[in-house]
């Protein structure tokens, strides 16, 4: 619910603060005084597109501040945005627009994207204006209104629709691309067969490179190992003057062992020397084992080089990395094989595969048809009830004998568009179902029914829209409804009925109405007047004041006849008394 609104430097309004509450609030004022700026301010506050032309002449920026009470989904959304409630558990909103067109939005003391205000607006506010009357003339809006009344849930149908369209697309693509897919499958299959024949193992290319290098340098490696071995532990056939590390270390070990008992420090050094002797012996044994394991067979080197050649051929053909950080070499070949196998399984173009896709398509289409039929039946049943309910409201809005027909027809099939088979035949289908909904207005029993967008006047459209809102009030979850001069073209007894129905709406939600009709204003719980103040610097300014008692009576008198006369006052008093007796 909207509790408070402050507008600064917006159009003709310099600085005005308005307080709202539950029930019906009306905003009135002379033509050109700036009544619509109240609605413009609300639209800006809840995410409407900003226009620098809205900034009051001579000002650097305009600002709209609002205080709202939020609950449920709206409360969850602002918490997600990081906004904080005020001390009285209300939410403070702010929107500014500079003279250069730059816009800023704040919620609960934090800066937020304008889209957050728009999302919040969808949850707490619905604005109906004369433009809404034009929207009501659109078939899509008429279908939406019927669906609201019927409580239609499109989830099941849309789920079936998407499943059908996806299955249809898969089947058509497979049929259309059968030749190219078959060629792709053949290439993949040949590649997989070649890789399977060579059977590369992970890391094999690196391991073979190491083996090949060892075999190519076997003589040098053997000599180096033998020389190192002999230097460490001696050879089996030593020269008379040959020395080795192990032979030199032996006497030293013995000398330290004999003297070490006299000094623990020397004994520790002896232990370290014994460890070194053991390490030299182990290293010598390892060098001997390495030399013994060297394979000098030329056939072995030939086999290794052939294997490397086979792997290189695979790497050249299949080892291109998918991305710079991806695998290379044999790892890239194995990665290609994995992806190729998965793709090959996907593009099965056999007759059986096509038959399975077609069967899946037909099954999904049949399921979508069942959901569409159920949806159509629900709309058709609700259409008769909505027609009767709105027609009854129109009778109360000074349109006796008028009837709003809600006609549900199946959409005819058209070339190139999806179709479904229903019991009555083939029909066109879309994401919203298979129905075309048309509102037809019959202004009197003998008159023909004419589509709403062709035959209704502005005043008739206003009353039809208001009648619909009264009927649909319980289906709209927003707590605040704003009507901007939807009573245009309405007068006399019909104007009183408009006021009554707005007051009825206000029993279950907050209703704010911008009106030029005294008959409507008389039903308000609070009355705000937008009045032109004295011009300053040649720029007109308007202010907003709450009126009651005699001031309210005077405003109604002005609205009735333009003059604050005794007769107008008497008439205004009668209107207030009548409205009070009905709403009190």
């Amino acid at each position: 619910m909207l509790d408070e609104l402050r507008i600064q430097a917006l159009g003709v309004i310099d600085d005005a603060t308005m307080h709202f509450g539950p029930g019906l609030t009306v905003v009135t004022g002379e033509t050109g005084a700036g009544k619509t700026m109240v609605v413009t301010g609300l639209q800006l506050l809840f995410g409407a597109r900003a226009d620098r032309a809205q900034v009051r002449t001579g000002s650097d920026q305009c600002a709209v501040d609002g205080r709202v009470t939020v609950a449920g989904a709206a409360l969850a959304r602002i918490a997600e945005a990081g906004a904080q409630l005020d001390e009285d558990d209300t939410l403070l909103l702010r929107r500014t627009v500079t003279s250069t067109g730059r816009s800023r939005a704040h919620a609960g003391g934090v800066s937020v994207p304008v889209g957050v205000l728009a999302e919040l607006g969808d949850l707490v506010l619905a604005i109906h204006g004369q433009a809404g009357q034009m929207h009501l003339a659109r078939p899509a809006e008429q279908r939406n209104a019927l669906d609201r009344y019927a409580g239609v849930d499109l989830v099941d149908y849309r789920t079936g629709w998407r499943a059908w369209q996806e299955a249809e697309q898969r089947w058509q693509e497979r049929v259309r691309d059968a030749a190219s897919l078959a060629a792709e499958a053949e290439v993949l299959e040949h590649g997989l067969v070649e890789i399977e024949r060579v059977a590369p193992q992970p890391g094999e290319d690196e391991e073979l490179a190491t083996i090949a290098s060892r075999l190519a340098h076997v003589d040098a490696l053997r000599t180096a190992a033998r020389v190192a071995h002999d230097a460490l532990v001696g050879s089996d056939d030593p020269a008379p003057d040959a020395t080795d590390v192990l032979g030199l270390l032996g006497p030293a070990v013995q000398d330290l062992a004999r003297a070490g008992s006299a000094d623990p420090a020397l004994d520790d050094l002896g232990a370290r020397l014994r460890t070194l002797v053991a390490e030299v012996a182990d290293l010598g044994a390892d060098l001997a084992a390495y030399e013994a394991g060297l394979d000098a067979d030329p056939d072995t080197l030939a086999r290794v080089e052939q294997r490397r050649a086979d792997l290189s051929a695979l790497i050249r053909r299949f080892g291109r990395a998918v991305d710079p950080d991806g695998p290379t070499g044999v790892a890239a070949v194995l990665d290609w094989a994995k992806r190729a196998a998965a793709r090959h399984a996907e593009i099965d173009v056999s007759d059986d595969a096509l038959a399975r896709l077609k069967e899946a398509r037909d099954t999904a289409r049949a399921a979508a048809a069942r959901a569409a039929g159920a949806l159509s039946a629900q709309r058709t049943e609700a259409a008769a009830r909505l027609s009767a309910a709105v027609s009854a409201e129109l009778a109360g809005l000074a349109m006796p004998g008028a009837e709003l027909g809600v006609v549900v027809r199946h959409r005819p099939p058209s070339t190139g568009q999806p179709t479904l088979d229903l019991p009555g035949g083939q029909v066109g289908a879309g994401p919203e179902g298979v129905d075309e909904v048309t509102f037809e207005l019959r202004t009197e029993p003998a008159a023909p029914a004419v589509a709403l967008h062709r035959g209704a006047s502005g005043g008739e459209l206003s009353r039809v829209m208001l009648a619909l809102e009264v009927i649909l009030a319980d289906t709209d979850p927003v707590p605040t409804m704003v009507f901007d001069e939807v009573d245009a073209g309405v007068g006399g007894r019909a104007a009183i009925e408009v006021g009554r129905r707005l007051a009825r709406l206000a029993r279950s939600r907050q209703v704010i109405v911008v009106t030029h009709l005294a008959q409507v204003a008389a039903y308000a719980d609070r009355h705000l007047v937008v009045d032109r103040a004295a011009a300053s610097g040649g720029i007109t300014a308007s202010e907003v004041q709450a009126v009651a008692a005699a001031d309210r009576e005077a405003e109604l008198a002005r609205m009735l006849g333009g003059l604050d006369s005794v007769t107008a006052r008497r008439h205004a008093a009668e209107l207030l008394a009548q409205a009070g007796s009905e709403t009190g």
Side-chain angles (χ1 to χ4, degrees):
M1 186 178 73
L2 180 66
D3 298 316
E4 183 180 327
L5 182 71
R6 183 182 183 187
I7 297 174
Q8 296 173 282
L10 179 64
V12 297
I13 296 181
D14 184 23
D15 192 344
T17 300
M18 290 148 274
H19 296 277
F20 300 90
L24 175 62
T25 299
V26 297
V27 180
T28 65
E30 293 184 2
T31 300
K35 298 188 298 295
T36 57
M37 285 298 103
V38 177
V39 177
T40 300
L42 282 173
Q43 291 172 327
L44 275 177
L45 188 63
F46 288 102
R49 185 174 181 179
D51 185 348
R52 63 182 181 179
Q54 295 167 329
V55 180
R56 179 174 169 77
T57 303
S59 299
D60 294 330
Q61 71 172 24
C62 66
V64 183
D65 296 272
R67 182 185 296 274
V68 295
T69 302
V70 293
L75 193 60
R77 183 64 186 94
I78 63 168
E80 182 183 341
Q84 298 290 326
L85 295 181
D86 208 11
E87 294 178 354
D88 58 356
D89 291 333
T90 59
L91 176 68
L92 297 180
L93 303 175
R94 180 175 176 83
R95 179 83 181 278
T96 58
V97 182
T98 68
S99 56
T100 61
R102 188 175 182 181
S103 169
R104 291 181 179 273
H106 292 79
V110 298
S111 178
V112 297
V114 173
V116 172
L117 296 187
E119 292 175 28
L120 189 61
D122 290 339
L123 296 170
V124 303
L125 190 78
I127 297 179
H128 305 275
Q130 294 185 47
Q133 299 172 13
M134 301 308 297
H135 292 162
L136 182 60
R138 299 174 182 172
E141 291 299 322
Q142 295 172 9
R143 185 190 62 241
N144 289 339
L146 175 60
D147 284 354
R148 282 173 57 193
Y149 180 75
V152 163
D153 186 349
L154 289 171
V155 171
D156 288 344
Y157 172 74
R158 284 176 175 165
T159 300
W161 160 269
R162 285 192 297 270
W164 167 37
Q165 292 301 294
E166 290 168 1
E168 180 76 34
Q169 183 178 4
R170 285 193 295 269
W171 180 75
Q172 289 186 1
E173 287 178 351
R174 192 61 54 90
V175 171
R176 182 185 65 240
D177 302 333
S180 61
L181 289 173
E184 181 185 357
E186 184 176 0
V187 170
L188 294 173
E189 186 173 356
H190 281 228
L192 290 169
V193 168
E194 184 174 349
I195 292 173
E196 184 178 359
R197 178 184 61 80
V198 177
Q201 301 301 310
E204 186 180 6
D205 49 343
E206 298 174 358
E207 181 181 350
L208 288 176
T210 301
I211 294 174
S213 177
R214 182 186 303 147
L215 291 173
H217 301 85
V218 64
D219 291 337
L221 294 172
R222 179 181 289 114
T223 299
R226 168 52 53 188
V227 169
H229 173 273
D230 292 350
L232 289 175
V233 299
S235 67
D236 295 335
D237 187 19
D241 56 348
T243 59
D244 58 79
V245 173
L246 197 59
L248 294 173
L249 292 177
V253 170
Q254 294 173 4
D255 290 343
L256 290 180
R258 284 193 295 268
S261 59
D263 187 350
L266 186 62
D267 191 46
D268 289 342
L269 294 174
R272 289 173 59 187
L273 183 59
R274 288 192 295 276
T275 300
L276 179 59
V277 169
E279 181 65 24
V280 168
D282 288 344
L283 182 55
D286 290 343
L287 286 168
Y290 172 80
E291 180 187 3
L294 288 173
D295 188 355
D297 184 4
D299 292 340
T300 301
L301 178 59
R303 288 194 299 272
V304 169
E305 292 295 353
Q306 180 59 53
R307 181 64 177 174
R308 294 184 69 198
D310 292 343
L311 294 178
S312 295
L314 288 182
I315 292 171
R316 284 194 300 272
R317 184 172 177 184
F318 307 107
R320 182 178 301 173
V322 177
D323 59 73
D325 298 325
T328 58
V330 166
V333 173
L334 296 174
D335 182 63
W336 183 92
K338 180 180 178 181
R339 290 183 286 105
R343 175 60 179 161
H344 188 269
E346 288 178 358
I347 58 175
D348 184 359
V349 291
S350 65
D351 291 342
D352 287 344
L354 289 175
R356 288 194 298 271
L357 286 175
K358 185 176 184 299
E359 181 180 2
R361 186 275 313 264
D362 293 344
T363 299
R365 187 168 184 261
R370 289 192 296 272
L375 179 60
S376 185
Q378 186 180 7
R379 284 171 172 162
T380 301
E381 184 276 332
R385 293 188 287 110
L386 180 60
S387 175
V390 173
S391 298
E393 284 294 325
L394 290 177
L397 288 168
M399 292 180 67
E403 179 182 345
L404 182 73
V406 182
V407 181
V408 180
R409 300 184 182 92
H410 284 159
R411 184 182 300 136
S414 57
T415 304
Q417 297 301 314
T419 59
L420 290 172
D421 294 321
L422 294 186
Q426 199 172 71
V427 297
E432 309 299 325
V434 298
D435 304 310
E436 293 179 342
V437 177
T438 306
F439 287 180
E440 297 178 349
L441 182 64
R442 190 191 307 273
T443 56
E444 56 185 38
V450 181
L452 197 61
H453 66 281
R454 293 179 180 174
S457 66
E460 289 168 341
L461 271 175
S462 296
R463 281 178 273 183
V464 170
M465 188 175 75
L466 182 58
L468 270 172
E469 289 301 337
V470 171
I471 299 301
L472 297 176
D474 291 337
T475 69
D476 198 335
V478 297
T480 300
M481 302 180 74
V482 181
F483 293 89
D484 183 16
E485 296 195 0
V486 296
D487 48 18
V490 177
R493 178 174 162 232
I496 293 177
E497 296 299 336
V498 169
R500 283 175 177 159
R501 276 150 182 79
L502 290 170
R504 188 195 309 171
L505 273 178
R507 293 173 188 169
S508 59
R509 68 197 62 227
Q510 183 184 47
V511 177
I512 301 170
V513 180
V514 177
T515 182
H516 65 283
L517 294 178
Q519 295 92 328
V520 173
Y523 283 87
D525 296 298
R526 62 191 51 77
H527 190 153
L528 304 177
V529 178
V530 182
D531 194 14
R532 290 186 181 184
S536 175
I539 303 174
T540 300
S542 293
E543 57 186 19
V544 181
Q545 296 181 341
V547 296
D551 291 335
R552 185 181 182 196
E553 189 176 291
E555 171 64 9
L556 292 183
R558 180 200 64 75
M559 297 172 70
L560 285 167
L563 297 174
D564 188 3
S565 64
V566 174
T567 302
R569 285 264 188 164
R570 185 181 301 116
H571 191 182
E574 291 174 356
L575 282 176
L576 287 171
Q578 178 182 346
S581 67
E582 294 178 9
T583 59

